Amino acid sequence: MKKFMNQPATVVDDYLRGLAGAHRSIVEWDSENRVLQRRDGPSKAKVGLVGGGGSGCEPTHTGFVGYGMLDAAAPGQIFTSPGPNQIVAATRRANQGKGVLHVIKNFTGEVMNFGMAEEILYFEDIDVAQVIVNDDVSIPDDGETAGRRGLGATVFVEKIAGAAAEQGYDLASVKALAERVIARSGTFSVGLSSCTSPARGKPVYELGDAEMDLGIGISGEPGRERVPLGTAQETADIMANEVLSDLAPPQGAELLMLVNGMGGTPHQELYLLAGELAEAAISRGFSVERQLVGSFVTSLDQAGAAVTFLQLDDELKRLWDAPVETVALRWGR
Amino acid sequence: MKKFMNQPATVVDDYLRGLAGAHRSIVEWDSENRVLQRRDGPSKAKVGLVGGGGSGCEPTHTGFVGYGMLDAAAPGQIFTSPGPNQIVAATRRANQGKGVLHVIKNFTGEVMNFGMAEEILYFEDIDVAQVIVNDDVSIPDDGETAGRRGLGATVFVEKIAGAAAEQGYDLASVKALAERVIARSGTFSVGLSSCTSPARGKPVYELGDAEMDLGIGISGEPGRERVPLGTAQETADIMANEVLSDLAPPQGAELLMLVNGMGGTPHQELYLLAGELAEAAISRGFSVERQLVGSFVTSLDQAGAAVTFLQLDDELKRLWDAPVETVALRWGR
């Protein structure tokens, strides 16, 4: 295993110490409660936003704490949900008297632990609501599984709900908006390699030299199908088709597109793929109005990429464009 | 080889098409002249800034075109300098009547081709100056080699000189400032893997499973020494020592630190390493005033990282903090 790390047991703490040290004006790391929180609260009380989940998917959620996105994040150990007490602490920190929204990715452990935290919080004077992000179109939406995983749409939900909260929307409106983003988003992921977790020290699985893995997760889960590695154009065509046939936006719909690297795929390849994905969407009769390209919802050092499309409307576009100042997203401020 | 690409011959064009499509409000790609240029010119005439070099090091230089940094970039083929005509075209595009500064990384081909472009431009009514970035402390500064390579300090030079140009500094002042940044910067790089170029299709060299490579370049050059892979703390100690003993800032000096990924190293590892590097600098009696952590001067899909330290002063700090709006750096605007 070749990683910049000290020892497996301290990876998450060492990372958070580095992150908080590098961005002292934006975030602080409460190592006792294991909460990464905004350094400065907002100028007036607003709905609080909390995200959380297993580590290894950085900058989700820790890189999204700050003005216009999350008030606090609860990072678990690698590929492991944060505990209920940690989520409770993050919620208390985020609470400003206007209620708190939990943004949960649809993974069994995360859904369970957020639920337990909400039971604990039920006896406190904090109004808590939740949304479950489940945008992974590679999993059938048929009630036979734990459902679709939460992937790239998490970035859209946290950005758009965060902007709405900053602009004074109330808890019910922020939650409804987050649910609209989830309903209008879909993601499909392609792996070119497995990933190596610090504790295990070797790749989770092996993938052939000329194979790509369709429908991977973000915790080292293999995909649903292995196919020969194609050109970027062929791969983009598969990815766009999977998402857009499932999402089925009306012809001419305006889309927000995230082209997301899994951690080990560089800038050059992601933008190259983004060019092909944009053409694939345009050739199907859609308009790609906004793009975000980079590694935002990752799986440690895995090589691969995912596309997320969101069908925009005027309100979603305005909130997407609103100022944000976090470690990983920063514009307009 | 596992990359998102169509064919080796079109990688650079396909990438630039994707980049320009994703950021239509910031840049445009002139495929005929092979120049990536600012979409909107500045509101009033200023000194123009041009960067250029082999591709494969993205987002250098293409990701740094926009408000507060470069006016135009000339990207060559992978690990190959842009041609003189391409640099001439970029310079004409950047020229607003106040002169143009060429930011050149110290690689033989780039120095030569920028020099040839400057000879051609000598007969035009454009005042051209150049600076050569040579911050790689892994190479002895003894006149026996082609000199130190230009690495992470390129980001500092383009950002700080770009802010000065935007604020109305004249050509001589922008050049003097860029030279001050270069003189006060040093970089040391560590590789955990080789990289794979699209044309070659396999790693440039092999590195043992438990080795790291000290003093690598950004075009697949191996390092000067292979040592056993250490902990992040041990590695940070080597890196900080190499740069700070060479740069020798006075005790208590304020530093800007770039922790730069080589392309295949994820966010989590870079911030973890940044935490150790900041501690290494602080323990040597310096103050780490600003940090930039991410993959900015890369070598395709190589795993590894570099640290660049710049000894700040008030003017450099003010210009570093000034607003910027490019693909890869964006704040305050």
Side-chain angles (χ1 to χ4, degrees), chain A residues 1-6 10-12 14-15 17-19 21-24 55-56 58-59 62-63 78 190 192-193 198 207-212 229-235 263-269 271-276 279 288-289 291 293 300-301 304-305 327 330-333, chain B residues 1-6 10-12 14-15 17-19 21-24 55-56 58-59 62-63 78 190 192-193 198 207-212 229-235 263-269 271-276 279 288-289 291 293 300-301 304-305 327 330-333:
Chain A
M1 170 173 48
K2 303 184 91 171
K3 285 186 192 297
F4 294 111
M5 58 179 272
N6 293 312
T10 65
V11 162
V12 174
D14 291 351
Y15 155 68
R17 194 165 35 89
L19 185 85
H23 300 282
R24 287 186 296 250
S55 290
E58 292 76 17
T62 46
I78 301 286
V190 171
L192 300 189
S193 77
L207 195 62
D209 273 351
E211 283 181 328
M212 62 182 181
L229 178 61
T231 64
Q233 194 174 20
E234 290 161 354
T235 305
T265 291
H267 173 104
Q268 189 192 65
E269 291 181 50
Y271 275 103
L272 190 153
L273 185 64
E276 301 297 346
E279 286 193 13
V288 182
E289 285 295 301
Q291 293 187 46
V293 182
L300 295 169
D301 55 354
V327 170
R330 198 167 172 176
W331 59 68
R333 193 177 189 226
Chain B
M1 171 174 46
K2 303 184 92 170
K3 284 186 192 298
F4 294 112
M5 58 179 273
N6 293 311
T10 64
V11 161
V12 175
D14 291 351
Y15 155 68
R17 194 165 37 87
L19 185 85
H23 301 281
R24 287 185 297 248
S55 290
E58 292 77 16
T62 44
I78 300 286
V190 171
L192 300 189
S193 79
L207 194 62
D209 272 350
E211 284 180 329
M212 61 181 182
L229 178 62
T231 65
Q233 194 175 18
E234 291 161 354
T235 306
T265 291
H267 173 102
Q268 190 193 63
E269 291 181 47
Y271 275 103
L272 190 153
L273 185 64
E276 301 296 347
E279 285 192 14
V288 182
E289 287 294 302
Q291 294 188 44
V293 183
L300 295 168
D301 54 355
V327 170
R330 197 167 172 179
W331 59 68
R333 194 179 188 227

Side-chain angles (χ1 to χ4, degrees), chain A residues 27 36 57 205 221 305:
Chain A
V27 290
L36 189 83
C57 309
Y205 56 91
E221 308 101 300

Side-chain angles (χ1 to χ4, degrees), chain B residues 41 64 72 117 168 178 246 260 277 300 318:
Chain B
F64 301 135
D246 187 279
N260 176 59
L277 282 162
L300 295 168
R318 178 176 60 77

Side-chain angles (χ1 to χ4, degrees), chain B residues 91-218:
Chain B
T91 308
R92 287 178 185 145
R93 171 71 195 199
N95 177 46
Q96 298 147 53
K98 305 263 183 183
V100 174
L101 182 69
H102 285 167
V103 180
I104 310 168
K105 302 192 302 305
N106 191 31
F107 289 90
T108 308
E110 297 182 10
V111 172
M112 188 175 70
N113 284 359
F114 268 95
M116 287 171 66
E118 287 163 12
E119 288 181 28
I120 296 167
L121 287 160
Y122 182 79
F123 299 97
E124 299 189 15
D125 189 25
I126 306 179
D127 211 2
V128 179
Q130 64 160 240
V131 291
I132 296 184
V133 185
N134 59 349
D135 52 313
D136 182 1
V137 304
S138 77
I139 293 178
D141 196 14
D142 59 5
E144 298 289 307
T145 64
R148 295 178 154 184
R149 294 172 288 210
L151 302 175
T154 310
V155 183
F156 296 166
V157 171
E158 294 181 355
K159 170 67 185 77
I160 288 171
E166 209 74 56
Q167 292 179 18
Y169 285 48
D170 66 16
L171 181 60
S173 309
V174 174
K175 176 180 156 85
L177 189 66
E179 285 175 337
R180 192 158 100 232
V181 172
I182 295 166
R184 295 161 75 107
S185 294
T187 295
F188 192 81
S189 314
V190 171
L192 300 189
S193 79
S194 177
C195 62
T196 299
S197 80
R200 188 179 153 93
K202 54 185 180 181
V204 176
Y205 56 91
E206 293 298 330
L207 194 62
D209 272 350
E211 284 180 329
M212 61 181 182
D213 201 9
L214 302 181
I216 58 168
I218 49 172

